Each structure stands twice: as structure tokens, then as C-alpha cells.
Amino acid sequence: MYSGFWKRLCAYIIDGIILYVASVILGSVFTMFEYLLMIPFALNLTQSATTFVWVTVGARFLLIIATGWLYYAFMESSKWKATLGKLATGSVVVDERNERISFARASGRYWSKLISVCTLYVGFIMAGFTQKKQALHDMIAKTYVVDKNVLELQAERYGNADVREI
């Protein structure tokens, strides 16, 4: 029922490609507006031009961070219960009652991935060795990545209300 390490890795790679393409598109649009706004500063080089550069660098950084967070949080808390990568591999993210997770829980799940990064990705590798195939961020957020087809079969067999424990 649980999606294992390799399936999750494939989903992560697909999501990475999607986020890369989105970042290139958003970055291009952002750069276009940046150049348009920079024209008055280029004509009159002042201290405010340096400030403007630092503000745009900060805004670009926040845009990149927000794109990844919002992609994962909105998709995993949506009716699909999964990112596009997880959908492609047939996986969904659910809570301990096999229900859709909230945006807040999906956000917590996303930000807790930073702990796995800080542990040299050991938190991600844990998904290959734990009984319920949970990575560290799943344990923190109390979520499970499960096979969508198995979940649907279980829901049909027992009804949504009876499928409480994964």
C-alpha cells in the first residue's frame, strides 16, 4: 500500500523538472520587469540603484522559495492529494485516516524537508527502511505516501469511514 523509496524518488525528480521549468519561466518574466524598472535608475546612477538591485535579488530569492512551497502545499492539499510527480507514479499523500491533508499540514510537511536536507538527506532515505515507508518529514507531519489504486480499492471495499488505519 505504501509508496517505496524508488517510486518516491521518481516523483521527486519529475517534480524537480516541473519546478525548474516553472522557475525559468517565472525568472524570465521577473527579469523582464526588473529591466523595465531599472531604466530610470540606469539613467541616473545613484545610491538608490544599488538598493534597487538588492531588493530585486531578495524578491527573486523569495519568488523561488515561494514557488516550491506553494506548488507542494497546494497540490498535496488539493483534491488530487498529490503533486504532478506523485500523480505520474500513482501515489497520493494522506493523513493517518487516509484523508486529504490540510494546506497547513502540507506546508509543515514541505518545510520539515529542510531537516532531511540538513541531515545529508538521511531523512529522505528513511522512506526505504521504515515499516510504513515514511520519510522524516512524513513522520513529523504524520502523513503517508500511498499507492492511489490500493487506497481506492480499500475505500471501495470498506467505505471511506471504515478505512481509518493505513
Side-chain angles (χ1 to χ4, degrees):
M1 168 153 196
Y2 303 102
S3 294
F5 175 80
W6 295 110
K7 197 172 189 180
R8 292 172 66 144
L9 179 63
C10 288
Y12 191 73
I13 290 169
I14 293 168
D15 288 330
I17 292 168
I18 291 167
L19 282 172
Y20 175 76
V21 170
S23 294
V24 168
I25 292 168
L26 287 173
S28 298
V29 171
F30 189 85
T31 300
M32 181 182 68
F33 284 115
E34 189 177 59
Y35 283 133
L36 289 174
L37 293 173
M38 191 63 172
I39 290 171
F41 294 113
L43 297 174
N44 183 14
L45 212 52
T46 62
Q47 178 65 29
S48 59
T50 305
T51 304
F52 178 78
V53 169
W54 282 109
V55 167
T56 58
V57 167
R60 183 181 296 266
F61 177 74
L62 289 175
L63 179 69
I64 291 168
I65 298 297
T67 301
W69 163 53
L70 293 173
Y71 170 74
Y72 279 96
F74 275 124
M75 292 295 292
E76 291 176 350
S77 64
S78 72
K79 66 179 181 179
W80 298 293
K81 303 179 203 171
T83 60
L84 296 174
K86 285 184 186 71
L87 287 174
T89 60
S91 300
V92 292
V93 179
V94 295
D95 65 8
E96 57 275 356
R97 295 176 305 196
N98 291 335
E99 294 176 355
R100 180 173 66 167
I101 62 174
S102 67
F103 180 80
R105 185 176 280 193
S107 294
R109 183 178 188 275
Y110 175 79
W111 291 110
S112 62
K113 290 178 184 180
L114 290 175
I115 298 169
S116 293
V117 171
C118 291
T119 61
L120 302 175
Y121 296 89
V122 170
F124 290 107
I125 297 169
M126 287 172 58
F129 299 100
T130 58
Q131 183 180 3
K132 295 182 179 181
K133 306 293 182 196
Q134 287 180 291
L136 182 58
H137 55 275
D138 291 312
M139 291 177 183
I140 292 169
K142 296 181 181 170
T143 58
Y144 303 90
V145 180
V146 298
D147 187 278
K148 182 181 178 186
N149 294 329
V150 174
L151 185 66
E152 288 172 354
L153 284 173
Q154 234 181 16
E156 285 176 19
R157 177 181 279 167
Y158 301 110
N160 273 341
D162 295 329
V163 183
R164 294 288 181 215
E165 183 98 13
I166 298 179

